[in-house]
Amino acid sequence: DAKTTQPPSMDCAEGRAANLPCNHSTISGNEYVYWYRQIHSQGPQYIIHGLKNNETNEMASLIITEDRKSSTLILPHATLRDTAVYYCIVSYPYNFNKFYFGSGTKLNVKP
Amino acid sequence: DAGVIQSPRHEVTEMGQEVTLRCKPISGHDYLFWYRQTMMRGLELLIYFNNNVPIDDSGMPEDRFSAKMPNASFSTLKIQPSEPRDSAVYFCASSLGGQGKETQYFGPGTRLLVL
């Protein structure tokens, strides 16, 4: 079962930053936070992951609170193509049988 | 690289028939995963392999489901006999393995409809 809590849906205006929250209050010391997304009718796509420090790549930024009980995925300039379901997953690396995708957040980017 | 390849992309069959789904992982990847996605249950891990060996099949729903990986470049998921409740999208994914390389790369999925 998912160890994370995400809002079921969010809206974002095209060109604005999308900030997707995730609560993971029971996260263990060495568990990572992973983010994937699934665009309609496609397979899930990896976005970013982190342990303690904030992370940034070409797709997004991941901000993890100091107590690690929550995190935020930031898409700096959302486009219509970012409309998707975003999954926040907490897991130990390679603990694949505990890699629960949950229900995710449906992000609707609007023109 | 072509990414993870799955076939067929769509399958319609009748209850009781055998269904075989196929997957070609990304070359060089040591891990292969089979997932099932339905509206009711979301995305569920069925089984995964490491270096062609099944590691965890606890997600396989019942004996009607079986998966094989005869070599590093090919895997099958078989349902025999199929039932209407098996209708779902089945995804295959692969992962490179190694320190910090657990990212899973998903294929486009096979949409299965059992009538």
Side-chain angles (χ1 to χ4, degrees):
Chain A
D1 296 317
K3 298 171 62 174
T4 63
T5 302
Q6 298 178 255
S9 66
M10 293 182 63
D11 291 337
C12 177
E14 187 178 20
R16 305 296 295 268
N19 297 280
L20 292 92
C22 180
N23 287 321
H24 32 79
S25 59
T26 61
I27 192 170
S28 297
N30 292 322
E31 288 184 307
Y32 281 69
V33 180
Y34 298 84
W35 283 84
Y36 281 72
R37 73 179 182 182
Q38 187 172 23
I39 296 170
H40 182 61
S41 298
Q42 298 182 20
Q45 175 191 26
Y46 166 81
I47 302 173
I48 198 168
H49 74 282
L51 180 62
K52 296 179 181 179
N53 300 321
N54 298 336
E55 303 287 344
T56 295
N57 62 20
E58 64 278 6
M59 290 182 68
S61 294
L62 173 60
I63 308 299
I64 303 174
T65 57
E66 191 169 347
D67 63 7
R68 302 211 320 124
K69 293 184 177 182
S70 66
S71 60
T72 301
L73 178 74
I74 301 173
L75 307 179
H77 305 287
T79 70
L80 298 178
R81 289 176 295 179
D82 292 322
T83 293
V85 177
Y86 287 76
Y87 299 98
C88 171
I89 302 158
V90 166
S91 177
Y92 292 101
Y94 295 98
N95 200 11
F96 296 117
N97 58 353
K98 303 296 183 185
F99 206 80
Y100 300 118
F101 279 79
S103 301
T105 295
K106 175 65 189 302
L107 175 68
N108 299 299
V109 180
K110 300 185 175 181
Chain B
D1 200 311
V4 175
I5 299 173
Q6 293 187 246
S7 65
R9 294 292 306 276
H10 302 271
E11 177 81 25
V12 180
T13 190
E14 293 186 346
M15 182 174 61
Q17 296 298 306
E18 178 180 293
V19 175
T20 299
L21 311 182
R22 297 172 175 81
C23 175
K24 176 179 170 57
I26 294 173
S27 178
H29 281 197
D30 291 335
Y31 288 84
L32 183 139
F33 310 85
W34 283 101
Y35 286 86
R36 179 174 67 176
Q37 187 170 35
T38 62
M39 289 293 293
M40 289 294 294
R41 299 178 65 87
L43 196 61
E44 304 173 283
L45 177 67
L46 299 177
I47 184 172
Y48 76 93
F49 296 80
N50 182 22
N51 292 322
N52 313 338
V53 176
I55 302 300
D56 189 327
D57 65 354
S58 60
M60 296 286 264
E62 48 197 274
D63 293 345
R64 297 184 298 107
F65 286 69
S66 62
K68 294 181 178 180
M69 192 166 186
N71 57 62
S73 60
F74 183 66
S75 177
T76 59
L77 178 67
K78 186 175 294 186
I79 308 173
Q80 167 63 20
S82 59
E83 297 183 2
R85 59 187 169 133
D86 302 330
S87 298
V89 182
Y90 291 82
F91 289 103
C92 177
S94 68
S95 175
L96 183 60
Q99 181 70 24
K101 297 178 180 177
E102 68 272 30
T103 298
Q104 297 179 53
Y105 296 86
F106 284 77
T110 295
R111 283 150 185 78
L112 173 65
L113 177 62
V114 183
L115 301 174

